[in-house]
Amino acid sequence: MGAQSVNRRKDMSKSEVPAEVPPQIKKDDESIEATSPAPEAAKPVPPLEQPGSVYANVIKQFDRAADLLGLDPNVRKILATTKNEIVVSFPVKMDREDTIEIFRGYRVQHNDALGPFKGGLRYHPEVNIDEVRALATWMTWKGAIAGIPFGGAKGGIQIDPANYSKSEMERITRRFVFALGENIGPEYDIPAPDVNTNAQIMAWFMDTYLSTVPTHERQRNIHVVTGKPVESGGSLGRDKATGQGVTYCIQCWAEDRGLDLRNLSFMVQGFGNVGSWSARLLCELGAKLVAVQDVTGSIRNMNGMDPNEILKFADGRRGVRNYPDAEKIDHILFMKTPADIFIPAAMENQITGMTADWLDVKLVAEGANGPTNTDGDAVLQRRGIDVIPDILCNAGGVIVSYFEWLQNKRSESWDLEEVDRKLRKKMVAAYERVRATAKEFATDWRTAAYIVALRRLEKVYLERGIFP
Ligand code: NAD
């Protein structure tokens, strides 16, 4: 869409959408007639977002991009809300005899216009419906930017896994799958790992789901989850996929700026799957890891640290805090560490109006989902710090999940070289699409990434129309 068209359609902002919606989808001069008006649907649905919440942040990002693109007002209404929200409470037997606990689990399915719902499962004490909505919505944009046939979903259980034994975690996972019932399925909604979930949890998830389908259909349903152990149908390269995608993006950025990774330093927040893989892969390319933070604390060594050694030390629940070959520092000093690149790879809302001012870096490469809120974004832009936004930067995970899903469907098993090559191709193509769109709309990269996603979704909705 050219600049002229952008201006022409700019007046269709969310606040100006009329309360009465005509029974047709209009785009410029085209219109798709609906067979009958639906007066009920014409009433505006109350917004889901609470002021200041993570989902409100998503809606602000969405509004900005939708305004700039001039997104069709009806498509805008559809994408501004989630399709299904499932909340389940279920009992689980604890190790202590005669004791049960009740757990609350969530699955939010934002959109499936491009393909089945797809997104991770998070086990964390702060999981709540608002956060899951936000994460599900980001998954829709991510699939659209990556050019894969998946919609967006996310789920989780409000739980601190540190308080439960391995056998309790297994029973909790299995009961959660059972409680979700037909709301998940290999061609309908496909979970994957996220914070505090891993290949083992996915293996229990798959095993439980398969126990609920007829015997002769079990083998052809193993793609109900991705991120499984390789022996149980997982893909080679899925474990490192998100960190690998982050690394490909950083390589593209360095190339664009004529920088050599061997001369660059970086810091990582979160040393789990995404953070530790990003660190290992970047160090293999010669970059220097100078600071690490996880839930236990922050460490720094400006001469550089070996991520493999940190990982060995932090293994299990010990964390990085007491790693011997580094200085222990507080959160503010961590955020102020001078480095070329910051990779947030932990939780949401870490880069805010305040903390964005502390950063002393050239690039923020968002491994985590939603690490920067809109105030933080404004400060980063004012300070000229580049951002590779989450919905582009961490898309490697869902891309290789797609490869795993395909391999399962075709009874194939690709070697690591093939997975990496295909991932690289998709990540670089997505990076280039966002770069070109940022230029076309003279906007920041997050807004550009949204525009890439919204354009693809808008096209699909306008082609397919709204039933009836
Ligand atoms: P993980 O559970 O493997 O690791 C999380 C890490 O963050 C741990 O090191 C933990 O100690 C640290 N952490 C937690 N709270 C923290 C805090 N308040 N401050 C500092 N560190 C903290 O999780 P993960 O899979 O690596 O996911 C990390 C982020 O990446 C999440 O935002 C997730 O949604 C996103 N993500 C993950 C994947 C994936 O494939 N796993 C894909 C895309 C995006």
Side-chain angles (χ1 to χ4, degrees):
M1 179 179 300
Q4 194 187 11
S5 177
V6 171
N7 293 338
R8 184 156 38 86
R9 298 176 64 199
K10 214 172 179 174
D11 56 345
M12 294 176 178
S13 71
K14 191 178 185 187
S15 55
E16 288 160 334
V17 170
E20 292 297 313
V21 184
Q24 55 188 204
I25 297 178
K26 274 193 178 169
K27 188 186 182 192
D28 295 333
D29 296 327
E30 297 166 16
S31 67
I32 301 165
E33 292 291 333
T35 50
S36 62
E40 285 304 314
K43 289 183 190 144
V45 178
L48 292 172
E49 67 271 23
Q50 301 297 317
S53 70
V54 184
Y55 187 64
N57 195 46
V58 177
I59 294 299
K60 276 192 205 163
Q61 295 169 345
F62 169 75
D63 280 344
R64 182 175 155 81
D67 284 347
L68 197 56
L69 173 64
L71 181 68
D72 178 279
N74 285 329
V75 175
R76 184 172 183 148
K77 284 182 193 164
I78 295 168
L79 296 176
T81 193
T82 56
K83 197 161 177 183
N84 304 309
E85 300 193 344
I86 302 125
V87 183
V88 291
S89 293
F90 53 93
V92 179
K93 281 186 195 161
M94 296 290 100
D95 288 346
R96 202 155 56 84
E97 219 176 318
D98 291 336
T99 312
I100 63 144
E101 258 186 54
I102 305 291
F103 294 87
R104 178 158 300 155
Y106 303 89
R107 188 73 181 165
V108 172
Q109 297 163 336
H110 173 254
N111 190 275
D112 62 350
L114 300 180
F117 298 111
K118 182 85 187 85
L121 291 178
R122 177 174 292 195
Y123 288 0
H124 195 275
E126 278 157 35
V127 164
N128 60 66
I129 191 72
D130 179 87
E131 181 189 62
V132 181
R133 261 176 206 147
L135 291 163
T137 310
W138 281 318
M139 286 307 296
T140 301
W141 314 146
K142 223 179 279 185
I145 293 166
I148 54 177
F150 280 151
K154 203 81 177 194
I157 307 178
Q158 201 177 69
I159 182 181
D160 185 350
N163 296 337
Y164 297 92
S165 69
K166 188 174 176 190
S167 64
E168 286 171 334
M169 289 311 299
E170 176 176 351
R171 290 196 294 280
I172 292 164
T173 300
R174 289 185 184 276
R175 272 306 297 239
F176 183 39
V177 182
F178 195 73
L180 287 172
E182 290 180 353
N183 293 299
I184 47 158
E187 305 296 332
Y188 178 62
D189 184 354
I190 308 129
D194 192 74
V195 174
N196 292 332
T197 57
N198 54 24
Q200 173 62 78
I201 305 257
M202 296 306 115
W204 291 329
F205 197 105
M206 174 186 74
D207 186 72
T208 312
Y209 179 82
L210 296 185
S211 306
T212 68
V213 301
T215 326
H216 62 280
E217 288 188 9
R218 290 187 183 158
Q219 274 317 312
R220 65 182 176 90
N221 280 288
I222 65 168
H223 53 303
V224 64
V225 279
T226 57
K228 301 180 286 289
V230 174
E231 305 75 19
S232 297
S235 175
L236 288 171
R238 174 60 185 88
D239 197 28
K240 67 166 179 151
T242 309
Q244 185 69 73
V246 170
T247 304
Y248 287 146
C249 282
I250 292 174
Q251 281 182 293
C252 289
W253 171 84
E255 211 172 292
D256 279 351
R257 299 213 164 12
L259 299 168
D260 186 338
L261 273 177
R262 287 169 301 184
N263 301 326
L264 299 181
S265 60
F266 69 102
M267 54 195 271
V268 181
Q269 180 185 53
F271 210 64
N273 175 288
V274 180
S276 71
W277 271 113
S278 303
R280 279 178 279 174
L281 294 164
L282 283 167
C283 283
E284 278 171 25
L285 295 170
K288 185 165 73 172
L289 174 63
V290 292
V292 177
Q293 182 183 67
D294 73 1
V295 75
T296 65
S298 313
I299 55 170
R300 184 158 88 176
N301 182 341
M302 297 311 288
N303 295 320
M305 295 179 283
D306 180 346
N308 293 301
E309 290 301 318
I310 302 176
L311 204 57
K312 261 191 249 160
F313 179 85
D315 200 23
R317 288 172 181 169
R318 181 151 64 155
V320 304
R321 190 178 133 81
N322 292 313
Y323 181 66
D325 186 26
E327 179 195 355
K328 227 182 277 178
I329 53 171
D330 65 18
H331 179 63
I332 299 179
L333 268 185
F334 171 79
M335 294 296 279
K336 290 185 171 176
T337 301
D340 295 297
I341 303 162
F342 176 36
I343 305 173
M347 306 299 287
E348 302 91 10
N349 282 339
Q350 299 299 307
I351 305 176
T352 60
M354 180 172 71
T355 61
D357 251 329
W358 296 345
L359 293 175
D360 186 4
V361 297
K362 296 188 180 79
L363 170 70
V364 173
E366 295 182 337
N369 285 306
T372 310
N373 70 16
T374 42
D375 293 343
D377 255 334
V379 174
L380 295 179
Q381 272 179 51
R382 173 173 54 73
R383 297 188 55 213
I385 297 174
D386 290 341
V387 176
I388 307 178
D390 47 6
I391 49 177
L392 164 65
C393 196
N394 70 34
V398 72
I399 293 173
V400 178
S401 275
Y402 168 55
F403 296 161
E404 178 174 331
W405 188 75
L406 275 185
Q407 289 171 74
N408 291 164
K409 278 163 76 90
R410 298 174 182 170
S411 295
E412 287 178 2
S413 156
W414 304 350
D415 62 27
L416 186 57
E417 185 276 327
E418 183 173 1
V419 172
D420 281 351
R421 180 168 39 80
K422 288 180 165 155
L423 171 62
R424 187 172 205 290
K425 193 170 171 194
K426 286 216 170 286
M427 286 303 303
V428 172
Y431 182 96
E432 286 173 353
R433 270 196 290 277
V434 173
R435 183 179 57 197
T437 307
K439 202 167 172 197
E440 179 186 346
F441 284 83
T443 190
D444 62 283
W445 277 49
R446 190 182 314 284
T447 307
Y450 266 73
I451 290 175
V452 171
L454 297 181
R455 266 178 165 170
R456 184 164 172 218
L457 284 152
E458 179 184 55
K459 197 162 191 298
V460 169
Y461 272 107
L462 295 175
E463 282 164 2
R464 285 171 54 165
I466 299 297
F467 174 82

